[in-house]
Amino acid sequence: MNLFSIKLLKKRALAGLIATCLAPCVWSADQTQHPTGAHAKTMAADSSKPVLLAGLRPQPELVWQRTSPDRAALDGPVLYQILFRSSAHIGSIPKIGPNYTLVDSGLALDNSGNLVIGGVNNTVFSVDNTGNVNVPAGAITISLPNHPIYATVLNQAAGVLGNPAMAASSNLAFAGYIGIVIAGAGTSGNATIAQIGQAQCIFDNGITSGDYVALSGGGQCHDASSTRPAGTVIGRVLSASNASPGVYQVVLFGPENYSVPILDSTGLSRVGHTVNQLTSLSAGTRVVNLTGGAAFVNSASYNCIARDVTTPANAVTITYPASPGPGNTFTLNGVGSDSITFTCTGD
């Protein structure tokens, strides 16, 4: 068979297909074409709509069905409108907008397949393929009604008072600590309280980046130095170091994160820390120097106790600098070269 014969057979086959598809048809009341061609057959696509089949072989291969352009259904012109009238962006998971067009839903998939909220280039929340949750600059929050008397203060700590429990920024000695108020502060409505993550907090003193954050008596944040203090510890300083009080960024650990509290005689929590160490005397004496976060404010802001470990019956006394002297040195007095343990607590 030569090339001309092959081409002729292809043309005849194509002509047969066209003749089959364009065979005379009868239009029924439901607008379905019923064929009269030899190779066309009719079958039902559902209980009411017959369809036209066309093919070069006895078994049907192609289904033809006429559908009415009903604007109330999700086919015909309505489907064209959804496909071509779209303002959704690449990577966005679209939703159907009020005008039946595709728009951004606020959800997207980044190039790594992570689900993000806020857009691929402006992520405010994301979950990766292994389930890790990322809140780049925000926090996990809760919402509570504001206490009508004790209130909440923006960018300050809050606790809970009343029955049912309400948020309050004062009387924290009784209310405890649950987080930092980041929105809705006052005596009415609901306060939004950050518990874990990043938040801004009012500091009553200067800050050093990376220091631990404790609470002042008034519910403000307090830079408690690089050594973890006693009492409630709410997080670490994120902002650049600054010698002045102000509003600074912190990372929050979560509530109920505390070590042994330091209380005054009325039961109120005090900002402070504890130093504990074992040392040895030399000729009956030892000068102890406190450095870094171990140092106290001054000689009147802390107290120490000590005991002789080698010979418990031997007395140990402590000499402090004259008040208000430095808070980073004191002297232990005892017997010979005995080992002495001491504990100092204060701020």
Side-chain angles (χ1 to χ4, degrees):
M1 183 180 293
N2 56 33
L3 182 60
F4 175 78
S5 298
I6 294 174
K7 289 183 178 180
L8 181 58
L9 288 176
K10 287 184 177 180
K11 289 181 179 180
R12 287 178 178 174
L14 179 59
L17 176 60
I18 294 174
T20 300
C21 296
L22 299 181
C25 293
V26 178
W27 292 97
S28 64
D30 65 357
Q31 294 296 301
T32 302
Q33 284 185 310
H34 297 276
T36 60
H39 296 284
K41 299 179 181 179
T42 303
M43 66 178 295
D46 53 40
S47 60
S48 61
K49 289 186 178 181
V51 297
L52 179 64
L53 303 180
L56 294 178
R57 298 180 178 86
Q59 295 299 322
E61 294 180 347
L62 181 63
V63 177
W64 301 78
Q65 181 175 5
R66 178 183 176 86
T67 57
S68 175
D70 183 358
R71 299 184 66 86
L74 285 177
D75 56 6
V78 177
L79 184 58
Y80 265 72
Q81 194 176 50
I82 294 174
L83 291 176
F84 292 103
R85 293 182 58 191
S86 172
S87 60
H89 294 83
I90 294 175
S92 171
I93 300 174
K95 66 178 181 180
I96 299 177
N99 295 323
Y100 299 99
T101 60
L102 294 180
V103 297
D104 291 338
S105 65
L107 298 174
L109 292 175
D110 63 16
N111 293 332
S112 299
N114 301 325
L115 176 65
V116 301
I117 296 177
V120 174
N121 298 319
N122 187 31
T123 301
V124 297
F125 178 91
S126 68
V127 181
D128 67 18
N129 293 324
T130 60
N132 295 316
V133 177
N134 180 30
V135 186
I140 305 300
T141 65
I142 61 172
S143 179
L144 287 177
N146 286 310
H147 197 286
I149 298 175
Y150 296 107
T152 56
V153 179
L154 184 65
N155 298 330
Q156 285 195 193
V160 288
L161 287 174
N163 183 19
M166 293 172 282
S169 288
S170 57
N171 285 342
L172 287 183
F174 302 100
Y177 164 80
I178 59 172
I180 300 296
V181 180
I182 61 173
T187 56
S188 61
N190 291 338
T192 301
I193 302 171
Q195 291 196 299
I196 301 174
Q198 295 188 44
Q200 290 191 318
C201 189
I202 300 173
F203 279 76
D204 66 348
N205 62 342
I207 63 165
T208 299
S209 183
D211 276 3
Y212 285 96
V213 180
L215 294 175
S216 69
Q220 296 180 338
C221 287
H222 181 86
D223 186 309
S225 81
S226 59
T227 301
R228 184 184 175 93
T232 300
V233 181
I234 69 171
R236 304 284 287 268
V237 178
L238 293 181
S239 295
S241 301
N242 194 311
S244 301
V247 179
Y248 299 109
Q249 195 82 358
V250 299
V251 57
L252 301 175
F253 294 158
E256 304 299 330
N257 192 319
Y258 58 88
S259 51
V260 178
I262 299 175
L263 307 177
D264 64 16
S265 60
T266 66
L268 293 177
S269 179
R270 291 184 56 185
V271 175
H273 63 278
T274 299
V275 177
N276 179 269
Q277 188 174 334
L278 176 68
T279 188
S280 297
L281 301 177
S282 177
T285 188
R286 167 67 66 182
V287 175
V288 177
N289 294 311
L290 305 175
T291 59
F296 297 96
V297 174
N298 57 54
S299 59
S301 68
Y302 71 101
N303 288 286
C304 299
I305 58 173
R307 69 182 182 89
D308 192 313
V309 177
T310 304
T311 309
N314 291 340
V316 180
T317 62
I318 303 172
T319 304
Y320 301 94
S323 180
N328 61 352
T329 185
F330 59 88
T331 302
L332 297 172
N333 305 293
V335 178
S337 58
D338 286 0
S339 295
I340 308 295
T341 181
F342 66 87
T343 300
C344 302
T345 302
D347 55 20

